[in-house]
Amino acid sequence: MKSVSVERLAIIVILFVALALSSLVLFPGAFWQISEAGFRTMTLIGVGSMAACAIGLFWMQKKNSEAEFERGEMPEPPLESPTEFYAHPDASASIPPPPPAPPQHAPRAQAQYPHAPIEIVDEDEGVIQLRFTDPLTGLGNRDRIVDKFEKMINSASEDGNGYPGDSACFAIGLLDLDGMKLINDMFGRAGGDAILKQCAMRLSNGVEEGGLVTRLDGDKFAFIFPDITSEDEIEAKANLLLEVLQAPYDLDGRAVRLSGSIGVGIVPQVGVQFETVNDNLTSALAHSKRAGQGRVTVYSREHEQENLDNARLEQALRRAIDNTEVLPHFQPIISLQDGSLLGFEALARWNDPELGPVSPVKFIPLAEKRGMIAPLTESLLRQAAGAAVLWPAELFLSFNLSSVQLVDPNTARTMLSIIKSIGLDPKRLEIEVTETAMMSDPETAAMVLADLSKAGVRISMDDFGTGQSSLGRLRELNLDKVKIDRAFIKPIGEDKAAEHIVRAVLELCVGLELTVVAEGIETLPQAELLKRIGCHAGQGYLFGRPQNERRTLAYIREYMGDSTLGSAQQATS
Ligand code: C2E
Ligand code: CA
Ligand code: CA
C-alpha cells in the first residue's frame, strides 16, 4: 500500500513538470524568445515527460488492480451457469454458483482466464468439476454420486477397523418417476424437461445437509441421506421425498401430477461396492414398481432371500421348459344357451419336483421378463394342439398369447407352422389376448392378429373390462369374441351395478357381432342370470376346473357321450 502512494506522488510530480514544460513549448511567445535548437530541445523534453507520465499512470493502475484483487475487492468475472437454481448445498457444490464473493484464495488463473474449465473449490469435497453435473437439472450426475459414495465408504473404513465401509451408516437410494412417459406424450419434450427440473428442485430441497441428490438418466434419480442407521428412519424419509414429488406441478398454467417409486438401502447392508449397491437397489426399486405407484422398498435380508428365490425359480423354469414339464391343462367352455360343450381353454400348469406347484400368475411373467416366453409358448402350443386333434372336430382350442409375443412379428408364422405340423385346423384355434398386451406396440399386435385371422384363427379379447378398455379398438381389431373378466361375474346377482356393466358389454358386443363368454362362473344362479340376459357362453368351476389331457378326454366322452345333456346343460335349462 505504502509503495503505491510514493509512486503515485512521484508520478504526480513528473506530470506537473511535464505540463509546465509543455506549456513553455506550446506558448513560447508569451514569455521569451528562444532559438530553434532550444525550441527542439524543449519539445523533446515536453513530449518525453508526457510519455513518462502516461507509462507511470498505466503502471500505477496495474499495480493498484492487483493489490485490490488480492484483497478480494474485485468481482470475479461472472461464471456461466447451466442451471436455474442452487437449492441444495450439494447441488450448488456440483454446479457453478451465482456470482459469489470471491474466495479468500481465489485461484489467479480463474481471474486471468475466465473461459478456462470451471473448477470450484468446495471445503468438504475438494475440486468438483463440470463432469459431475447433469446439464438439464443442474444436479450432480452418476459420476457425482459414485464419487461421493466412494468417499463416504473410504472415510468410514478409516474410522472403523479398516474393512471397506464397515462403520458406514448412511442410506443410498434410487428413485424412478412414474408417469413421465405420459407427460412427454402430452406436453412434448420441453414439457417433460420442465417437469424434470421442477422435480430436481423439490428433491434437492428434500435432502438434508451432507446428503446428495443426483440425476442418473431419463427420469431416474439417486440420493444419499447421511447418518441413517434404521430401516424405519430411511423409509420415513424416502416417503417424505415421494410426498414432496406428488404435489401438483405447474406446466404452462396446467396442473400436472406424477409420483415416484423408490428402492433404498442402508450401507453397509446394501453393499459397499457401488455396482453391488446399484444391483440391489435396482431390485428393491423393481419390487416397489411391482407393488404399484408411489411405493418405497427398503433393501433387506428378506429382499435378498426373495432375489435368491427368484433366481432359483428362474433356473428351475428354464429346466422345466427344456424338459417339457410345463403342461397345458384344459378348462371347458360351455354354451349358456343350449348347454353344449364348445371347446377348451388351455391353461399352463407347472409342478416342480422341489418347488411344488407354481402358479402361472408367477411363472408366465417371469418367463416374459427372462426371455423364456417364446420357447414356453411354443412347447405349450405343440402339446395343446396335440391334445386338441384328438377331440371331436367341432370343439375349439383357446390359447393364451402373452404381451411379449404380440410385439414379435414372427409370432403368427411360428404358431401357424406349429399347428400345421400337428395337423390342427387353424379354424379350430382361438387366440386369447388382453387389451393391455396390445397397448405396448399396437401396430405389430394388429399385424400379428391380422395374419392369424387371415389363416382362419379366431381372436378373443381376454379379461375384458380390466384393462384400458377402448371401444374403438374393439371395432378396429376384427375380434371374434370377448371374455368378460370374472371380477364382473362374481358379484352378479348381488350387485346391480355389476349386472348393468355385463348387460352393457353384451349389448355392445351383439351390435358388433361378437360372441361373449363370461369367465369365472361358479354358481348356478350366476349361470342362469347370464343365460337370461343373453350371454352366449360361460366358463368356470361350475362347468369344470382345468384338467390334464387324459381327464379332458374322459370329460368329453362323458359330456358328449350317448346323451348330449351334460351336467352344465342340466344346470342351466
Ligand atoms: P386367464 O387367462 O384369465 O385364465 C383364467 C384363470 O381363471 C385361470 O387361472 C383359471 O384357472 C381361473 N378360473 C377359471 N374358472 C374359475 C372360477 O370359476 N373361479 C376362479 N376363482 N377362477 C377360475 P390360472 O390357470 O391360474 O391362470 C391365471 C392366468 O395365467 C391366466 O388368466 C392367464 O393370464 C395366465 N396363463 C395361464 N396359462 C397361460 C398360458 O399358457 N400362456 C399365457 N400367456 N398365459 C397363461
Ligand atoms: Ca385366458
Ligand atoms: Ca381371462
Side-chain angles (χ1 to χ4, degrees), residues 345 400 432 434 462-464 483-486 519 539:
E345 176 180 1
N400 291 285
E432 297 191 12
T434 62
D462 201 2
D463 303 342
F464 189 73
K483 297 182 81 174
I484 304 180
D485 192 73
R486 67 170 186 268
E519 293 188 303
Q539 177 181 356

Side-chain angles (χ1 to χ4, degrees), residues 157-174:
S157 327
E158 283 157 18
D159 297 346
N161 50 25
Y163 295 108
D166 59 352
S167 65
C169 280
F170 63 93
I172 179 162
L174 294 180

Side-chain angles (χ1 to χ4, degrees), residues 202-442:
R202 292 184 188 189
L203 291 173
S204 60
N205 282 331
V207 174
E208 60 227 38
E209 216 175 311
L212 176 71
V213 175
T214 64
R215 175 168 170 249
L216 298 185
D217 53 55
D219 55 1
K220 199 180 257 181
F221 295 82
F223 58 84
I224 285 179
F225 275 100
D227 306 323
I228 299 275
T229 49
S230 89
E231 288 185 7
D232 289 347
E233 194 184 354
I234 187 54
E235 191 170 6
K237 293 205 170 183
N239 272 313
L240 263 180
L241 272 191
L242 289 185
E243 260 174 49
V244 165
L245 271 186
Q246 281 161 359
Y249 295 78
D250 176 54
L251 202 57
D252 300 332
R254 292 175 69 178
V256 176
R257 278 180 184 275
L258 51 78
S259 66
S261 302
I262 287 182
V264 66
I266 298 175
V267 179
Q269 288 93 306
V270 69
V272 289
Q273 299 288 334
F274 190 82
E275 282 317 310
T276 316
V277 170
N278 192 40
D279 286 351
N280 290 338
L281 293 182
T282 303
S283 88
L285 179 64
H287 190 268
S288 288
K289 291 222 155 219
R290 275 198 300 276
Q293 295 195 342
R295 305 292 177 106
V296 171
T297 302
V298 182
Y299 184 86
S300 64
R301 298 267 174 252
E302 293 94 76
H303 197 83
E304 216 164 338
Q305 189 55 46
E306 197 184 308
N307 281 350
L308 277 177
D309 291 348
N310 276 342
R312 250 180 86 200
L313 194 70
E314 185 185 329
Q315 267 185 350
L317 181 60
R318 233 174 253 286
R319 201 190 49 230
I321 296 170
D322 287 348
N323 299 338
T324 327
E325 286 169 14
V326 185
L327 309 174
H329 279 211
F330 303 94
Q331 185 175 34
I333 298 173
I334 305 290
S335 161
L336 288 179
Q337 298 307 315
D338 65 12
S340 59
L341 176 62
L342 301 173
F344 291 88
E345 176 180 1
L347 291 159
R349 293 290 176 267
W350 174 31
N351 193 353
D352 184 77
E354 281 173 26
L355 302 169
V358 185
S359 162
V361 175
K362 202 164 180 185
F363 69 77
I364 296 282
L366 182 69
E368 287 174 345
K369 251 188 284 165
R370 298 288 183 227
M372 295 182 266
I373 194 69
L376 174 60
T377 307
E378 285 166 29
S379 159
L380 284 167
L381 182 63
R382 195 164 280 121
Q383 295 178 73
V389 284
L390 304 176
W391 305 338
E394 64 265 38
L395 299 184
F396 64 77
L397 167 70
S398 202
F399 190 83
N400 291 285
L401 207 53
S402 104
S403 54
V404 175
Q405 287 157 306
L406 284 178
V407 298
D408 178 358
N410 295 320
T411 296
R413 192 157 25 96
T414 313
M415 294 189 77
L416 291 171
S417 91
I418 289 175
I419 60 164
K420 191 173 172 206
S421 71
I422 306 272
L424 183 76
D425 184 349
K427 293 194 184 69
R428 291 184 58 201
L429 182 66
E430 286 188 10
I431 293 297
E432 297 191 12
V433 290
T434 62
E435 295 158 287
T436 328
M438 283 190 285
M439 296 293 283
S440 54
D441 181 356

Side-chain angles (χ1 to χ4, degrees), residues 71-257:
R71 289 196 308 275
E73 287 162 11
M74 191 181 90
E76 272 184 88
L79 300 175
E80 274 173 39
S81 162
T83 61
E84 299 174 2
F85 64 89
Y86 309 91
H88 186 264
D90 259 304
S92 61
S94 59
I95 54 178
Q104 281 296 304
H105 304 288
R108 288 281 290 276
Q110 205 165 308
Q112 287 168 359
Y113 307 109
H115 300 295
I118 297 160
E119 290 187 343
I120 298 158
V121 175
D122 179 278
E123 280 173 14
D124 300 326
E125 304 290 339
V127 175
I128 297 162
Q129 299 174 339
L130 259 188
R131 73 176 174 89
F132 282 140
T133 307
D134 167 46
L136 176 71
T137 60
L139 294 179
N141 57 14
R142 188 186 183 83
D143 287 350
R144 171 81 175 106
I145 199 150
V146 174
D147 182 71
K148 173 138 182 141
F149 173 83
E150 284 171 354
K151 280 183 180 144
M152 287 175 90
I153 289 286
N154 289 341
S155 74
S157 327
E158 283 157 18
D159 297 346
N161 50 25
Y163 295 108
D166 59 352
S167 65
C169 280
F170 63 93
I172 179 162
L174 294 180
L175 184 152
D176 198 272
L177 298 178
D178 303 319
M180 273 308 289
K181 190 182 172 317
L182 196 66
I183 289 173
N184 280 330
D185 288 351
M186 285 177 71
F187 299 98
R189 209 162 150 191
D193 284 356
I195 289 283
L196 283 174
K197 284 188 198 175
Q198 292 188 44
C199 287
M201 167 105 80
R202 292 184 188 189
L203 291 173
S204 60
N205 282 331
V207 174
E208 60 227 38
E209 216 175 311
L212 176 71
V213 175
T214 64
R215 175 168 170 249
L216 298 185
D217 53 55
D219 55 1
K220 199 180 257 181
F221 295 82
F223 58 84
I224 285 179
F225 275 100
D227 306 323
I228 299 275
T229 49
S230 89
E231 288 185 7
D232 289 347
E233 194 184 354
I234 187 54
E235 191 170 6
K237 293 205 170 183
N239 272 313
L240 263 180
L241 272 191
L242 289 185
E243 260 174 49
V244 165
L245 271 186
Q246 281 161 359
Y249 295 78
D250 176 54
L251 202 57
D252 300 332
R254 292 175 69 178
V256 176
R257 278 180 184 275

